[in-house]
Amino acid sequence: MNDGPTAIGNFLVVVFLVVLVLCGGGKFIWSQGAFLILVGAVLTFRPPQRTLDRRMDWTVLTLVGLGLIAFLPSDWFGFLPGILFGRPDWWTAADRAGIALPPTISAQPIRSLEALALMCGGIGFFYLLINIRFRGKDRWRLLQLFSILGGLLALAVVYGSWKDINYPITDRAASFSYFDNRNQTSILMGMIGVVSLALIAYNRQTKWYWVAISAFSFFAAATAVSMSLSKAGLILFVIGAGIWTIFHFGVGKEAGALRVVAPLAAICFGLMLITGQQTLSRVQDWIQADESVFDSMRWRIYSDSINMIANQPATGVGLGNFSVLFPQYREHSATPEPVIHPESDWLWVASELGVPGMSVVAALIILLYWLMLPFGRDPSTPIRSGALIALSLVLLHSFFDVSAHRLGIIVIALWLYRIALPRLKSEANCLFPSWIWRFGGIALFAIGGVWVYADTTKSMLHTAVVKEVYPVQIDAAIEAGSADAVLDDLDVALNFLPLDWQLHLYRGKARLYLERDTTEAREDFRKARLLEPVMIDPALYEGEIWLRRSTHYAYEAWADALTRQTTNPQEVYKKIILTASGNPRFSRDLDRLSQTSSAFRTRYLESLQGKNFLKALSDDLRRSSTLSQFSGDEREAIMLMWLDRGDAGALIRFLESAPDSIPNAWYYQANAMAKLGNFPGAIELAAEYVPVPQIPAMQSLGGRPIDEQRVRFAAQPDDVVRGGMLLNQQLKNQDLEGAKWTLERLLAIDKPPVYAYYWMGEIDRLEKRYREAWQHWKEYTAQVVERDLELKTAATAMFEDIDDARDNPLLWELVEPFEKRKN
């Protein structure tokens, strides 16, 4: 067997895979364009000559053909039964609304063309991999480089997770991740870990330092998985490592290698238990969750995705169109958050390519695995099996997530497939002649170049760039008051993305502010709300746009917004109120709008002051004299506002007429009486309801001379237990000045004990300083209400140790009202 040096190009492929991961997994348009440029260039100058099997070529050709169906006129499929190809109700509604729908099956053919180009680039990359020839230890060298670079990637994940920092270009991820979704990074780490585990077993026959290097990558990848917060990544890594161990040591019967791998695996899983507490906790919570798995958001998205597929099962909606059309099918998964994919690669393929497309992809995968057989036995079997199991993690994950739709993951999986392939006994000539490959390569090269140019110069030559640049241009043109700079691009943008609600919204804004065309602006806004019927954003933003031009249309938009999904209704109410406050002409409309819900009305009342508050509250009282339209908590909030900015006398009359309509009505009535200056009456009313607080006692501190207790408390004034004991003794000894001295120090600490407010208030009341007494009573009663303490009308147990309270005039004067009520 020829064991010459490995071609430098093979090493460059591995480096390219890692660089693609570092570039956000290929999420940027320029990185996708660079991928197409490289693949196109190689296809042009070195077109593939061989294939694994002619059946694979025919399957790939069928898959591309199904992708091209999206560009055919939809009228051609009118002969199909509605159950196979039906236009949904939203399509009819969009057509009637005047949305410029294309005649093709794809609702956005340019977006479908971009997705098809990327798919063809992936196919071309796979055929180039197939035509690579490995010699001798090429597989080991390439996998070893992949393991080393992967170990460094994993080490960065561990460090970033430990320091709680994010990867700079994927700051949307919940933890350190090279992809926007941490699950993709976790799956990548799992692939690196399984490959490194295989290399440990293989390297035991070579130099010891290769075992150490592979072990380092294995430990780093395992730790990265455990710290990634990804349940799926952790479970799949354990499954992958377990399957490889069973396959290699069970089927392969490599008992010698087991002595090396087993201790390392045990250490690894011990390390994962130590470092992965948060991830393991998430797995445990998931297992023990009371909610059925079928009630989770993921399953609700699955359900709506299946309904979407069932509408056009024969053709799908066209590549790249799931996210723009799925809002029309969101019934079970109607939430405020956008859904850009169906949480499953298989459902994604079925929705965009139809059931035939999903079937062809399934047939292709089955064929590729079939071509692995017989797997064979040769010295490279441990690492080939590791590569096969590693790429299989992506396949398993694809059923309940979308790793296979991430360029950085799928190209690594395809490369691992080529590494796992045994030496083929015979290879067939490729079905596609060289000139087709060259033509496709030139096309991919040109498309990739356009994408790179579009992304770097922000030219509107790619749909993603259009979505990014167009809104900015609209805002800049409005600020400059120049229509020429943007209106010429309106039709171009909508030709790229005719069903993008954001573009329709911004075009309406441009027509309203630049052309002053109210009619056309209304049409665009209506289209935006039609295309996104679930999320609140289009209606909420439309109201902001209309506010300066038409209060009627602003009201209409915001009324629609209040019927849509939102995670934080209170924040929406606040935003509408703050925005509307800049336009006094909208005040009546805002008052009317706030009546759509009691929560909004409460927030609206909170924003009013003085006469405006009293007028709005008077309107609510006319609707219901007991404010029954509000919840108990909302009525309490209104009472606080009424106390702060309203008529205290009117509040007292309301509470006297409807005492049962408000929880803790006595509290608000007492505060209203105090606001009118009737402090004795306020205290007397509150005293009927609030409990007398107990002063905590500690037997070990009792019995000591009071002077000693005072000295010790003076040295430690934040010791509330010692201070309570001292206060208790001072009250028993009728030491009024001493009690005040103790209470003043207790009230000076950061969190005074609740009893300090009560007893200071009672002492002030005893000395007829009613205003000061109420200030302390007010604080005490507020804490009683806030803490929801049990209301009492009798003396508490703190007096049980007093033989006869009448022997202590100070205590008796404080206790007497309670004793009278108790009897």
Side-chain angles (χ1 to χ4, degrees):
M1 181 183 297
N2 187 358
D3 191 19
T6 303
I8 189 66
N10 291 338
F11 288 118
L12 291 177
V13 171
V14 179
V15 174
F16 168 74
L17 298 177
V18 174
V19 170
L20 192 59
V21 170
L22 291 173
C23 294
K27 73 170 184 176
F28 299 109
I29 303 306
W30 63 264
S31 61
Q32 296 175 11
F35 171 75
L36 294 185
I37 289 173
L38 291 174
V39 172
V42 179
L43 288 176
T44 302
F45 294 103
R46 296 189 63 179
Q49 302 295 321
R50 302 286 182 177
T51 184
L52 297 179
D53 192 287
R54 282 292 184 97
R55 290 172 295 180
M56 185 185 79
D57 295 350
W58 284 111
T59 307
V60 168
L61 183 62
T62 303
L63 182 62
V64 175
L66 290 173
L68 291 170
I69 288 178
F71 303 99
L72 298 178
S74 58
D75 293 343
W76 291 10
F77 294 84
F79 67 92
L80 291 175
I83 194 173
L84 295 179
F85 182 79
R87 285 305 192 193
D89 294 339
W90 74 263
W91 187 285
T92 304
D95 187 43
R96 290 175 178 172
I99 297 175
L101 298 172
T104 57
I105 290 176
S106 172
Q108 296 183 140
I110 296 179
R111 182 72 190 94
S112 295
L113 180 62
E114 293 168 351
L116 182 63
L118 204 55
M119 184 179 77
C120 290
I123 292 172
F125 177 73
F126 184 54
Y127 271 88
L128 290 174
L129 292 176
I130 291 172
N131 280 262
I132 291 177
R133 294 297 172 263
F134 292 139
R135 301 175 301 172
K137 293 188 175 181
D138 281 357
R139 285 187 176 87
W140 170 76
R141 292 172 181 141
L142 296 175
L143 275 180
Q144 194 67 66
L145 177 61
F146 175 74
S147 175
I148 293 171
L149 296 177
L152 294 176
L153 292 177
L155 191 63
V157 172
V158 172
Y159 179 80
S161 300
W162 175 44
K163 292 293 187 179
D164 195 24
I165 59 178
N166 287 327
Y167 190 58
I169 58 178
T170 56
D171 54 4
R172 288 188 299 166
S175 60
F176 189 95
S177 173
Y178 300 107
F179 300 81
D180 284 335
N181 188 330
R182 64 172 180 262
N183 288 330
Q184 271 79 60
T185 292
S186 184
I187 291 299
L188 173 62
M189 296 298 106
M191 296 164 71
I192 294 168
V194 172
V195 167
S196 300
L197 180 63
L199 285 168
I200 293 173
Y202 182 84
N203 287 334
R204 73 183 183 86
Q205 301 174 351
T206 59
K207 302 293 184 180
W208 66 267
Y209 51 79
W210 287 120
V211 175
I213 292 174
S214 301
F216 159 77
S217 296
F218 176 63
F219 286 135
T223 307
V225 169
S226 69
M227 298 177 70
S228 67
L229 303 180
S230 170
K231 302 187 298 289
L234 180 63
I235 293 171
L236 289 175
F237 172 72
V238 173
I239 291 174
I243 291 176
W244 182 88
T245 303
I246 294 171
F247 176 82
H248 189 64
F249 299 125
V251 179
K253 301 185 184 304
E254 293 283 347
L258 184 59
R259 289 194 296 270
V260 176
V261 173
L264 293 176
I267 295 172
C268 166
F269 288 115
L271 184 64
M272 291 176 68
L273 288 174
I274 296 173
T275 61
Q277 289 300 313
Q278 286 184 286
T279 306
L280 290 171
S281 177
R282 295 188 73 235
V283 174
Q284 183 179 11
D285 292 343
W286 173 64
I287 294 173
Q288 298 177 348
D290 294 333
E291 180 186 43
S292 169
V293 67
F294 298 104
D295 294 330
S296 67
M297 175 53 64
R298 186 181 295 270
W299 281 96
R300 292 200 291 271
I301 293 175
Y302 290 164
S303 176
D304 289 338
S305 298
I306 291 172
N307 291 336
M308 180 178 179
I309 295 167
N311 194 257
Q312 289 181 255
T315 62
V317 298
L319 287 170
N321 284 319
F322 175 87
S323 61
V324 74
L325 297 181
F326 185 68
Q328 309 302 325
Y329 297 91
R330 294 183 70 176
E331 180 179 354
H332 302 95
S333 62
T335 64
E337 301 298 327
V339 176
I340 60 176
H341 56 70
E343 302 291 340
S344 166
D345 284 308
W346 293 92
L347 291 178
W348 204 342
V349 170
S351 63
E352 295 187 346
L353 288 178
V355 175
M358 184 184 69
S359 302
V360 170
V361 171
L364 179 59
I365 291 174
I366 293 172
L367 177 61
L368 289 176
Y369 272 82
W370 178 262
L371 293 175
M372 281 283 181
L373 303 176
F375 194 77
R377 294 288 301 164
D378 60 58
S380 65
T381 298
I383 56 176
R384 289 198 298 111
S385 62
L388 179 62
I389 292 171
L391 74 91
S392 298
L393 297 183
V394 179
L395 180 61
L396 287 173
H397 196 228
S398 68
F399 286 97
F400 49 87
D401 212 331
V402 292
S403 291
H405 272 75
R406 297 294 180 260
L407 183 62
I409 293 291
I410 194 63
V411 294
I412 291 176
L414 295 175
W415 179 78
L416 287 174
Y417 179 86
R418 179 62 187 92
I419 293 290
L421 272 176
R423 180 177 292 275
L424 300 177
K425 296 180 179 179
S426 62
E427 293 179 331
N429 291 328
C430 187
L431 175 67
F432 314 119
S434 296
W435 68 268
I436 290 183
W437 284 118
R438 287 194 170 95
F439 176 79
I442 293 172
L444 291 177
F445 186 91
I447 292 172
V450 170
W451 289 7
V452 172
Y453 175 79
D455 201 18
T456 53
T457 64
K458 301 306 177 186
S459 301
M460 292 199 294
L461 299 173
H462 190 282
T463 54
V465 179
V466 169
K467 280 182 65 69
E468 177 186 356
V469 172
Y470 184 66
V472 177
Q473 289 186 349
I474 292 289
D475 288 335
I478 291 174
E479 184 175 351
S482 172
D484 297 336
V486 69
L487 292 180
D488 292 341
D489 295 330
L490 288 173
D491 293 335
V492 175
L494 269 301
N495 284 336
F496 271 79
L497 296 167
L499 298 185
D500 189 285
W501 66 266
Q502 291 174 308
L503 294 183
H504 282 284
L505 191 68
Y506 272 93
R507 185 169 71 172
K509 182 178 180 180
R511 284 175 166 170
L512 183 63
Y513 285 110
L514 298 178
E515 294 184 324
R516 306 190 185 280
D517 190 336
T518 301
T519 302
E520 290 300 321
R522 284 199 69 200
E523 287 299 308
D524 272 315
F525 293 145
R526 187 163 60 91
K527 293 172 185 177
R529 281 192 268 157
L530 174 68
L531 294 174
E532 178 44 77
V534 176
M535 292 171 55
I536 195 173
D537 300 62
L540 187 63
Y541 188 52
E542 180 189 341
E544 295 178 27
I545 295 172
W546 275 120
L547 189 61
R548 287 190 291 169
R549 301 292 181 180
S550 170
T551 56
H552 171 74
Y553 293 141
Y555 176 88
E556 181 184 81
W558 278 337
D560 181 41
L562 294 175
T563 66
R564 292 169 173 255
Q565 297 288 328
T566 177
T567 54
N568 191 345
Q570 289 293 330
E571 190 63 29
V572 173
Y573 305 149
K574 178 180 177 181
K575 187 172 184 178
I576 292 176
I577 291 170
L578 287 176
T579 305
S581 63
N583 188 345
R585 294 187 298 112
F586 193 72
S587 58
R588 290 186 178 180
D589 295 293
L590 181 59
D591 184 278
R592 183 160 54 103
L593 188 66
S594 69
Q595 297 172 27
T596 56
S597 73
S598 62
F600 190 7
R601 185 65 176 179
T602 304
R603 192 65 185 245
Y604 171 69
L605 291 172
E606 184 181 318
S607 69
L608 300 177
Q609 298 292 332
K611 294 181 179 180
N612 292 330
F613 171 79
L614 292 176
K615 181 180 182 304
L617 181 60
S618 176
D619 293 338
D620 291 325
L621 288 170
R622 277 197 296 271
R623 297 184 189 96
S624 171
S625 61
T626 60
L627 299 178
S628 59
Q629 65 269 41
F630 297 94
S631 68
D633 290 341
E634 290 166 350
R635 286 196 292 272
E636 286 198 86
I638 293 173
M639 293 303 103
L640 290 175
M641 299 177 212
W642 202 342
L643 278 172
D644 181 57
R645 64 198 74 168
D647 184 346
L651 174 57
I652 292 173
R653 290 191 294 273
F654 167 77
L655 293 171
E656 289 176 344
S657 64
D660 297 331
S661 63
I662 305 295
N664 300 312
W666 61 269
Y667 171 74
Y668 304 103
Q669 187 172 350
N671 276 272
M673 293 171 69
K675 193 170 184 180
L676 292 175
N678 186 6
F679 300 113
I683 295 173
E684 183 66 25
L685 176 60
E688 295 181 9
Y689 294 91
V690 297
V692 178
Q694 296 187 36
I695 300 176
M698 184 176 293
Q699 295 298 327
S700 61
L701 298 179
R704 295 184 179 182
I706 193 169
D707 292 339
E708 179 184 344
Q709 292 190 43
R710 177 166 175 151
V711 171
R712 289 179 178 271
F713 178 62
Q716 292 182 311
D718 58 345
D719 187 343
V720 294
V721 175
R722 192 179 298 277
M725 292 294 299
L726 175 61
L727 175 63
N728 198 13
Q729 289 296 320
Q730 290 167 334
L731 292 175
K732 286 182 178 181
N733 295 339
Q734 306 180 50
D735 184 3
L736 187 61
E737 291 301 320
K740 290 173 63 177
W741 178 89
T742 302
L743 287 167
E744 287 171 355
R745 279 149 184 78
L746 287 171
L747 291 171
I749 65 178
D750 289 339
K751 293 183 178 180
V754 66
Y755 64 79
Y757 293 107
Y758 174 85
W759 289 110
M760 183 61 89
E762 284 295 80
I763 290 175
D764 285 335
R765 182 166 66 140
L766 182 64
E767 296 180 343
K768 297 184 172 28
R769 293 195 302 271
Y770 294 113
R771 180 183 296 275
E772 292 79 1
W774 171 249
Q775 294 303 315
H776 294 102
W777 264 86
K778 181 179 180 181
E779 182 64 34
Y780 176 61
T781 55
Q783 294 201 34
V784 168
V785 172
E786 180 180 342
R787 299 183 185 185
D788 196 23
L789 300 180
E790 182 180 357
L791 300 179
K792 299 179 181 179
T793 57
T796 62
M798 72 166 288
F799 298 105
E800 292 177 357
D801 60 342
I802 302 176
D803 295 333
D804 189 352
R806 293 174 180 80
D807 294 337
N808 189 321
L810 174 60
L811 285 179
W812 172 246
E813 191 163 351
L814 298 177
V815 175
E816 186 179 18
F818 295 97
E819 289 290 337
K820 289 180 179 179
R821 284 193 293 272
K822 182 172 67 172
N823 297 328

